[in-house]
Amino acid sequence: MTDLRATGAAETARLVTAGDLTARAVADAALDRIAAADPALNAFSVVLADAARAEADARDDQPGERGPLHGVPVAIKEELDVAGCVTTFGGEANSTPAAEDGEVVRRLRAAGAVIVGKTTMPEFGAWPYTESSSRGITRNPWDRTRTPGGSSGGTAAAVASGMVPVGIGGDGGGSIRIPSAMCGLFGLKPQRGRVTTSPHAHLWWALGTVGPLSRTVLDSALVYDVIRGSTPGDRFRAGESGSFVEAAGREPGRLRVGWSTKPVSVGVRPDPIHVRAVEDTARLLSELGHDVRQVDPRYPDPTAAFVPQFFAGLRAEADEVEHYERLERRTRETYRLGSWASPRVTEWAVRASEKVSVKANRVFQDVDVLLTPTTAHRPPRVGVIDGRGTVGSALQAMPAIAYVALWNVAGNPAASVPCGPAEDGLPVGVQLVGRTDDEVTLLSLSAQLERARPWPLTAPSAG
């Protein structure tokens, strides 16, 4: 009998399309796992049980050709519109359900996916830990005393625990890669503009992207090939790129890989476990035939470009909610502290992002891929920002974003690749950063690492 808890999106779609399983049986199994596991993890903000069963029945009755995600249960981060659900952004300030799906959700359904629910996030995705006053604390399925990271922490917990094979998150400063590293998942932040942000013109201006968190490289590639592509209303558009699924299935060839454990953020020191993970991965890549060398990336300082867009992004989303007074106290404090991030300042920061990108990409004059830690610290205990204000939360966030936020400013694709559990029993991830528009190289290289050093498909404590 198929163990659906550990079955990925690609294999689930194959089994349902072949008639070995029904979409309804897959949906029922996912909903049973959610009912059993979620009370201890708090990964879901809403479970769409009746709607998911009806959608699965429709998939089973569907005539003709079936899509690449046919019958696959998918979870959606709270910041994306799902028809009939309130888009809460992780809080209580909205009360009217969305009239229709956002474009990414529409594309998922068109490919045959079954939407089973929406996942927890810190309000507006402002912090790399999934904690809020309205939704409570989300826990890591590897160790429930630890955070799954954020801001896509609910999605990460849902996928790592085996509740769903794949889920959608967003990344405005590491929010796909950080929880992927902390939960043992593969998480690729795509090139800026690769995936539409419709119905919004952008997600935190030049910083934000949308994408999946998955247990395998192939599953990530499969979902990206479904949701990628711009709409006329998108402010940013990526360059040309080939099939992600094809990239995940081929050898990468011999690459020049530069590695560094130097953080972008001054004053942050990486945990020795993460340093060893980078060094071990560098050795493995060398054994696989790549030209691997230690480099100094000569990182530019992204602060002046990142901070205005962070504040402006939060303020823009807060300005759109129905009940401002219901926002968390910390969110309202952040809103006030960001009053200086005027439209003029924000546009200056977007232009500054372009200058940061030029400087950050100098490293790719000598290497094809950059290897770094994903985060500087191990997954902290839950409650890391509980009761803290804006400044205190920002200080707690620094070790999480020390390696990842630069690449939101620069726009480059970057992936967190699992290394398996460390001696403390918690997952470790390393970051692979690629040239502009070069997700395909990252997918090919990540898949090679996955074959050479397989990682657990679900958290051991999630069974």
Side-chain angles (χ1 to χ4, degrees):
M1 184 175 180
T2 302
D3 178 10
L4 290 174
R5 190 177 69 88
T7 303
E11 179 63 7
T12 298
R14 186 192 69 79
L15 290 169
V16 176
T17 299
D20 296 327
L21 289 172
T22 64
R24 176 59 183 267
V26 172
D28 283 341
L31 293 168
D32 288 345
R33 294 194 300 276
I34 292 169
D38 195 52
L41 297 175
N42 190 31
F44 281 88
S45 51
V46 60
V47 179
L48 303 171
D50 291 341
R53 291 188 178 102
E55 190 166 30
D57 288 341
R59 297 285 180 262
D60 287 330
D61 293 338
Q62 178 180 324
E65 186 176 349
R66 298 183 166 186
L69 294 176
H70 189 80
V72 176
V74 178
I76 307 294
K77 189 179 179 182
E78 266 293 356
E79 64 190 353
L80 300 181
D81 289 346
V82 173
C85 294
V86 178
T87 306
T88 70
F89 294 98
E92 301 289 345
N94 281 332
S95 56
T96 302
E100 57 186 18
D101 291 331
E103 180 62 16
V104 164
V105 176
R106 188 199 68 77
R107 291 176 183 181
L108 289 167
R109 291 195 204 268
V114 174
I115 307 303
V116 297
K118 301 192 74 177
T119 55
T120 52
M121 60 183 288
E123 195 161 56
F124 296 129
W127 312 109
Y129 312 108
T130 304
E131 302 173 6
S132 71
S133 58
S134 67
R135 303 301 180 203
I137 289 174
T138 299
R139 298 175 181 272
N140 193 320
W142 285 78
D143 180 344
R144 293 170 188 167
T145 70
R146 305 284 176 162
T147 178
S151 63
S152 306
T155 297
V159 176
S161 63
M163 287 189 260
V164 291
V166 68
I168 301 298
D171 194 317
S175 291
I176 288 174
R177 290 159 291 161
I178 294 166
S180 291
M182 292 188 182
C183 292
L185 301 173
F186 178 76
L188 168 69
K189 179 196 84 68
Q191 175 67 33
R192 176 166 51 232
R194 180 69 64 201
V195 178
T196 181
T197 53
S198 179
H200 308 289
H202 55 78
L203 180 61
W204 285 19
W205 277 268
L207 299 180
T209 60
V210 175
L213 290 77
S214 65
R215 297 194 290 266
T216 70
V217 177
L218 175 59
D219 282 354
S220 178
L222 181 66
V223 173
Y224 269 122
D225 276 350
V226 165
I227 66 174
R228 60 192 286 197
S230 300
T231 64
D234 291 327
R235 174 164 178 171
F236 302 102
R237 288 172 174 76
E240 294 298 318
S241 177
S243 164
F244 284 13
V245 167
E246 290 178 5
R250 64 172 176 256
E251 292 295 325
R254 190 171 191 265
L255 298 172
R256 299 172 300 165
V257 180
W259 66 271
S260 174
T261 59
K262 173 185 175 182
V264 180
S265 303
V266 177
V268 174
R269 297 185 63 180
D271 190 284
I273 288 175
H274 296 181
V275 173
R276 287 197 298 274
V278 169
E279 293 172 345
D280 290 346
T281 303
R283 280 192 291 271
L284 175 57
L285 289 170
S286 181
E287 293 167 2
L288 291 169
H290 299 289
D291 175 8
V292 182
R293 68 193 84 160
Q294 187 174 9
V295 298
D296 179 358
R298 298 177 294 158
Y299 294 126
D301 184 354
T303 306
F306 180 86
V307 172
Q309 294 179 82
F310 165 82
F311 279 114
L314 183 143
R315 285 173 61 86
E317 291 178 342
D319 284 340
E320 294 296 322
V321 300
E322 298 171 86
H323 311 284
Y324 178 88
E325 71 281 0
R326 297 183 189 174
L327 293 173
E328 293 182 11
R329 182 175 62 180
R330 178 173 51 216
T331 301
R332 286 182 274 120
E333 178 188 16
T334 306
Y335 184 96
R336 292 192 300 271
L337 289 173
S339 62
W340 55 273
S342 65
R344 182 176 179 180
V345 170
T346 304
E347 289 300 328
W348 176 91
V350 172
R351 293 192 299 273
S353 292
E354 298 171 3
K355 297 177 181 178
V356 170
S357 181
V358 170
K359 293 178 180 179
N361 275 277
R362 292 178 303 192
V363 69
F364 297 110
Q365 295 172 4
D366 301 314
V367 300
D368 302 307
V369 174
L370 177 65
L371 165 66
T372 77
T374 303
T375 64
H377 62 344
R378 305 298 291 135
R381 292 191 177 274
V382 295
V384 63
I385 58 172
D386 190 29
R388 297 182 186 272
T390 301
V391 175
S393 297
L395 290 173
Q396 293 295 318
M398 290 306 295
I401 69 171
Y403 293 95
V404 291
L406 167 64
W407 303 108
N408 292 86
V409 176
N412 294 57
S416 183
V417 182
C419 301
E423 57 265 32
D424 60 4
L426 296 168
V428 185
V430 294
Q431 180 177 233
L432 298 177
V433 185
R435 299 176 185 274
T436 299
D437 289 319
D438 195 15
E439 293 100 327
V440 294
T441 294
L442 295 185
L443 289 162
S444 295
L445 186 60
S446 298
Q448 185 183 47
L449 284 171
E450 182 180 28
R451 291 189 296 271
R453 184 178 60 191
W455 51 76
L457 292 180
T458 56
S461 63

